[in-house]
Amino acid sequence: MSDSQARQGSGSASDDDAVTVAFARTTRSTPWRLAAKIPLRFPTHHPQGMTLVGDRIVLSTVEVLQPPARHPEPLDGHDRTPGSGIGHLLVLDRQGNLHKDVRVGADTIYHPGGVDFDGETVWVPVAEYRPNSRAVVCRFDPHTYDVTIAFEVADHVGAIVRDRVTGDLHGMSWGARTLHTWTPDGSLLRSRANEDHLIDYQDCSYAGWRKQICSGITVLPGPDGRRHELGGLALRDLREDRILHQIPFPHFSTAGHVLTRNPVALEVVDDTLRLLAAPDDGEDPAGTELFVYETRIG
């Protein structure tokens, strides 16, 4: 999708796509059925974001070589070192077979986040693995596998979505505490505090008309001292950065992680709303598995 094509878009809320309409009808009581659990038998590292490109899946993931280390007290405005690693975009099919592994980022900028496919380009933020840092926003061609840098950002960007009507990019900071909007060339239009304190968004996808669906996690202390993961999804208006609909997603992976911990994608097939997720790391006991949950649209 070119910038001019994006800005020619028109419509209204009545033009919402099938995923938006179906998701808006879900509740905390919606029955989700596990339809498939597909092992990914290749190095997946720490998956971050997912987007659907026809019959292919683009999965972003970070290979951490040296984990960031906390400073005893902030140093140069940072609470930890940048660490080191390699960012990957993995292109796979729906059966879980790897077709391409493309590296993204350089130097201390190696952490790709949530990704979004606008019909032509996959938009990928790649950041330092620490808050209040810096990032680049990249374009990835899922057919040629070319990666180009669109613009730089003076903040950690954890996920990004492109508005199909205006062409603008909507991203979020570490933990999704701040919501940013840029033009396609990187001019900052606005930054707002996120009013959603229930979950930290990890991955977002465009949901027309001019909306996005974000998934994420909150880690809470339990009464027994163990950590509890709360997962959920939110439908948000891109024009006003407000929540329109929100649900918990109380389903867990083989490693015990909530399904919305990191990469999530939604699609509608016939009369079914389908959620795909890859919450576990490659180093977990069962490795990374692609979970497919479905619910009938009623």
Side-chain angles (χ1 to χ4, degrees), residues 42-284:
F42 49 85
T44 54
H45 314 295
H46 180 32
Q48 298 295 305
M50 180 193 307
T51 193
L52 306 178
V53 181
D55 61 354
R56 297 291 174 90
I57 297 170
V58 177
L59 184 73
S60 64
T61 184
V62 57
E63 178 183 1
V64 179
L65 302 177
Q66 181 180 353
R70 292 270 185 174
H71 295 305
E73 53 186 56
L75 179 64
D76 297 328
H78 298 292
D79 66 351
R80 67 197 75 182
T81 66
S84 64
I86 302 169
H88 299 262
L89 294 176
L90 307 177
V91 182
L92 54 145
D93 60 30
R94 298 298 185 100
Q95 292 72 47
N97 301 304
L98 180 66
H99 288 263
K100 192 71 174 179
D101 181 344
V102 180
R103 294 190 175 189
V104 292
D107 193 29
T108 60
I109 296 178
Y110 60 87
H111 187 291
V115 296
D116 183 45
F117 178 55
D118 70 6
E120 290 185 359
T121 296
V122 177
W123 292 87
V124 186
V126 189
E128 290 191 351
Y129 204 168
R130 55 183 179 177
N132 306 311
S133 55
R134 59 196 181 108
V136 293
V137 173
C138 300
R139 296 174 182 255
F140 172 63
D141 188 317
H143 306 293
T144 66
Y145 306 126
D146 291 334
V147 178
T148 57
I149 295 176
F151 56 90
E152 301 178 1
V153 178
D155 194 4
H156 175 99
V157 181
I160 201 159
V161 161
R162 191 181 195 198
D163 187 331
R164 309 298 193 265
V165 175
T166 66
D168 296 333
L169 283 303
H170 297 259
M172 50 200 63
S173 67
W174 184 276
R177 293 306 90 210
T178 303
L179 307 175
H180 301 297
T181 303
W182 306 275
T183 63
D185 63 2
S187 297
L188 182 64
L189 296 175
R190 68 174 183 265
S191 295
R192 294 179 178 175
N194 186 359
E195 83 282 16
D196 188 352
H197 298 282
L198 185 63
I199 58 173
D200 290 346
Y201 303 143
Q202 304 295 313
D203 198 10
C204 297
S205 298
Y206 184 76
W209 188 76
R210 305 198 66 187
K211 300 175 180 68
Q212 64 178 335
I213 296 176
C214 294
S215 55
I217 181 175
T218 296
V219 180
L220 303 170
D224 56 0
R226 294 189 301 175
R227 303 197 312 167
H228 172 71
E229 294 183 359
L230 171 67
L233 301 102
L235 175 67
R236 300 187 61 101
D237 188 308
L238 288 174
R239 295 165 299 171
E240 300 176 357
D241 287 330
R242 64 187 181 93
I243 300 169
L244 301 174
H245 184 64
Q246 192 167 37
I247 61 167
F249 199 81
H251 297 275
F252 294 85
S253 70
T254 303
H257 293 299
V258 72
L259 260 291
T260 58
R261 178 190 183 215
N262 273 310
V264 168
L266 293 166
E267 64 180 352
V268 166
V269 179
D270 298 325
D271 61 349
T272 298
L273 176 61
R274 179 180 294 160
L275 181 146
L276 298 88
D280 293 344
D281 295 344
E283 293 73 25
D284 285 328

